[in-house]
Amino acid sequence: MAALSLATDLGLGQPQQHIIRQTLIAMRMADLEGLSDDERAAIFYVSLLAWVGCVADAHEMGKWFGDDMAVRADSYLIDMTGLRMMRFMIGHVASGSSPIHRLTMIGRFLAGGSKEVEQSMAAHCQTSGDLSLRLGLGPEVRDPLQQAFARWDGKGFPATLAGSEIARIMRIVHVANDVEALHRMGGEDAAVEMLRSRRGTEFDPELVDHFCAHAGELLAGIGELDGWDALIGGQAPLGHLLTDEELDRALEAFADYADVKSPFTLGHSRGVAHHAAAGAATLGLPSADLVLVRRAALVHDVGAIGVSAGILDKAERLTETERERIRTHPYLTARTFSKPRKLAAIGQLAAMHHERMDGSGYPSGLTADALPMTARLIAAADVYHALLEPRPHRPAWTRDAARDILAAEVTDGRLDGEAVRAVLDAAGHRVRRQAAHPARLSTREVEVLVLLSRGLTKKSIARELTLSTKTVSAHVEHIYTKLGVSTRGAAALFAMRHGLIRAADAGD
């Protein structure tokens, strides 16, 4: 749950561990209020999951505001009700676009867009509740999650709830959420001032009074401590050792959570996981690698939650700044799954899905010698499945076209030929093994290149392959021409970079 909250921080436009620190504050408030052990357990999970549904309405928010994350981040600064909320919304409509487009979008927003945004809050609550049940939590968590946008004064969503009708657990989380953000921005005084200004409107007045009277105690060290260690270490009784089956279910929920950010990626992560795992099985990888490949593929795009919906759903050519933002998402995936150790191994592999054999990928520009076969399989599966899906700027490709594009990626040295063949074979394509060597090398030329790279003489290569020395010399000349090199060392570097030596060894 805590790892998932790190992804939610991204969607809220907040620094990582915002929700973890919010939960620490909520747990301290629970102690102050004298909540029972069962209530404390519920508030722990409600706080971690309260805003998880922010991805469910990201597309609608992006449609109206462009940067859905910026709107969420700025919303902490005002009491979101009445004219203040309307002015806030209008101020963010079509943010960053031309004045004419902004005026057009503001008119549409006033004509019906504001209602659409309000309705999207229902999707948020439903998503949070559904996810809590999928993760094995009960109605004591699900029910308060339906009140994420309720207000003490009854002017929230659903509007039928007000005052003590709102679960005390959620009233505490409401206070803790805004307090964490304001405290981070302006310290204890800013947090207390915010609470007093919204006493009896957004927040339970009794909770506000209790908090303000004990603010120093409730906020002590919040900005300096490691939120993860403090939260997880302090809640050992709530811990539950997941079985492999439970972990798989949780990661599948994470996959769906990431994909729902955009209507163009629905089912993408599950599809990539299926193709990557099937490819791993085709290659005969050890069972532990099969499990790791599937799990990493399931969560490979979780970091995309940290990219605004306006960028993900943009049909026009992306700007350089927008492209750079997209290039951060594998890194954000790794950071989301940086703890505990078992998740970190999954996150590190997942973060390699946009790396390429020739070093042209991102975020780290890794080359073939740094990419295990598990990473190469996920990269191939990601490209293949993405090609079969529509995107804002293009329709879906056919299966045959997707196959040809992957073969070209191998020829150009970006994807691993063995991984691509395994993914395509598992997907039901009939692929000739010799069709996907980099630099358009033939299978025989690859064999010669591998032996040449190992330092064998042309005469020794001829004996090894049962060829004449003259034929080997001709192959070497063709290899150098195709690779654009003139020395054995340069040819050997090419072979290592493209995984040819490893592939040949596996074949032997």
Side-chain angles (χ1 to χ4, degrees):
M1 302 304 101
L4 182 59
S5 79
L6 298 178
T8 305
D9 290 335
L10 300 173
L12 293 173
Q14 297 296 309
Q16 285 208 325
Q17 294 202 9
H18 156 67
I19 291 176
I20 285 178
R21 289 188 295 270
Q22 162 198 299
T23 305
L24 277 169
I25 295 170
M27 297 302 288
R28 291 177 180 182
M29 291 179 66
D31 291 339
L32 179 67
E33 297 296 315
L35 266 63
S36 67
D37 289 345
D38 287 345
E39 288 175 312
R40 291 182 76 261
I43 204 171
F44 177 84
Y45 291 113
V46 168
S47 181
L48 288 176
L49 291 172
W51 318 116
V52 75
C54 68
V55 296
D57 60 358
H59 175 68
E60 287 73 21
M61 297 285 279
K63 167 186 170 182
W64 291 110
F65 307 115
D67 190 341
D68 57 305
M69 294 153 52
V71 174
R72 298 185 203 279
D74 291 348
S75 68
Y76 286 93
L77 300 175
I78 69 165
D79 188 353
M80 293 284 285
T81 187
L83 290 176
R84 278 191 298 269
M85 182 174 73
M86 185 56 69
R87 283 197 297 268
F88 173 85
M89 295 288 189
I90 291 174
H92 283 76
V93 168
S95 177
S97 60
S98 69
I100 292 178
H101 180 66
R102 280 209 70 214
L103 284 173
T104 301
M105 290 300 292
I106 288 172
R108 293 176 180 173
F109 183 77
L110 292 173
S114 59
K115 286 291 184 184
E116 183 177 319
V117 170
E118 182 179 308
Q119 290 166 0
S120 72
M121 295 177 182
H124 175 120
C125 297
Q126 290 164 4
T127 298
S128 300
D130 174 69
L131 191 58
S132 72
L133 294 180
R134 290 180 62 185
L135 294 172
L137 302 169
E140 69 279 5
V141 173
R142 180 201 59 200
D143 294 346
L145 287 173
Q146 307 308 302
Q147 304 169 4
F149 295 101
R151 290 171 54 97
W152 181 262
D153 60 10
K155 296 180 180 179
F157 177 88
T160 54
L161 287 180
S164 60
E165 295 172 329
I166 304 168
R168 182 163 61 158
I169 287 172
M170 185 51 80
R171 282 181 268 151
I172 290 174
V173 171
H174 285 155
V175 170
N177 176 44
D178 283 30
V179 160
E180 195 289 324
L182 270 294
H183 177 265
R184 179 169 21 89
M185 296 177 199
E188 181 181 324
D189 290 345
V192 168
E193 181 182 351
M194 178 275 298
L195 284 179
R196 287 175 174 159
S197 70
R198 304 181 197 177
R199 181 185 183 276
T201 56
E202 185 174 357
F203 303 125
D204 177 345
E206 186 176 334
L207 280 180
V208 169
D209 292 343
H210 285 185
F211 188 99
C212 293
H214 299 86
E217 171 189 345
L218 293 169
L219 294 173
I222 273 296
E224 292 76 39
L225 49 75
D226 183 317
W228 180 284
D229 291 341
L231 181 65
I232 303 303
Q235 306 302 328
L238 299 180
H240 167 65
L241 185 62
L242 297 182
T243 65
D244 283 341
E245 184 179 352
E246 288 172 331
L247 177 57
D248 287 337
R249 283 203 303 268
L251 296 179
E252 287 170 357
F254 282 25
D256 296 343
Y257 171 62
D259 289 352
V260 80
K261 172 111 185 186
S262 169
F264 296 98
T265 56
L266 297 179
H268 173 74
S269 295
R270 283 179 182 263
V272 173
H274 169 76
H275 289 303
T282 297
L283 290 180
L285 266 58
S287 58
D289 282 350
L290 263 68
V291 172
L292 180 60
V293 163
R294 182 176 184 275
R295 289 173 174 172
L298 280 171
V299 301
H300 75 282
D301 264 352
V302 163
I305 295 168
V307 181
S308 77
I311 295 176
L312 293 177
D313 298 339
K314 186 176 179 179
E316 300 81 17
R317 183 180 179 84
L318 297 178
T319 66
E320 184 60 30
T321 300
E322 291 167 340
R323 283 195 294 272
E324 282 303 307
R325 185 59 185 173
I326 286 206
R327 288 166 66 92
T328 66
H329 84 267
Y331 166 77
L332 295 175
T333 296
R335 292 304 304 153
T336 297
F337 296 99
S338 58
K339 297 178 181 180
R341 186 166 55 187
K342 189 165 186 176
L343 287 184
I346 294 170
Q348 288 165 7
L349 178 58
M352 296 181 184
H353 70 280
H354 276 295
E355 302 290 353
R356 293 296 179 260
M357 302 287 285
D358 61 358
S360 64
Y362 59 86
S364 301
L366 301 178
T367 54
D369 54 350
L371 296 173
M373 180 52 71
T374 49
R376 300 177 190 192
L377 283 163
I378 295 174
D382 180 46
V383 173
Y384 178 70
H385 200 272
L387 289 169
L388 300 179
E389 300 167 315
R391 288 292 182 263
H393 59 286
R394 62 158 176 82
W397 293 86
T398 65
R399 279 170 44 85
D400 287 346
R403 176 201 59 202
D404 294 343
I405 291 172
L406 258 68
E409 288 291 292
V410 173
T411 299
D412 292 339
R414 288 187 286 272
L415 293 177
D416 177 75
E418 191 175 6
V420 164
R421 283 190 295 274
V423 168
L424 292 177
D425 285 347
H429 292 276
R430 299 182 64 180
V431 182
R432 292 182 300 166
R433 187 171 181 80
Q434 66 267 31
H437 293 310
R440 302 188 185 279
L441 294 172
S442 68
T443 298
R444 178 63 80 186
E445 286 169 343
V446 169
E447 293 173 337
V448 171
L449 172 59
V450 169
L451 296 175
L452 179 69
S453 299
R454 291 175 178 159
L456 273 68
T457 65
K458 294 177 182 176
K459 189 174 293 187
S460 298
I461 294 172
R463 280 198 304 270
E464 182 82 15
L465 299 178
T466 318
L467 299 172
S468 70
T469 304
K470 183 178 180 180
T471 298
V472 170
S473 295
H475 280 315
V476 171
E477 183 179 344
H478 292 157
I479 290 167
Y480 282 171
T481 298
K482 289 181 178 180
L483 304 190
V485 302
S486 58
T487 66
R488 183 204 66 82
L493 286 173
F494 178 93
M496 287 188 291
R497 189 167 69 248
H498 293 277
L500 296 178
I501 291 179
R502 185 178 185 281
D505 288 344
D508 293 341

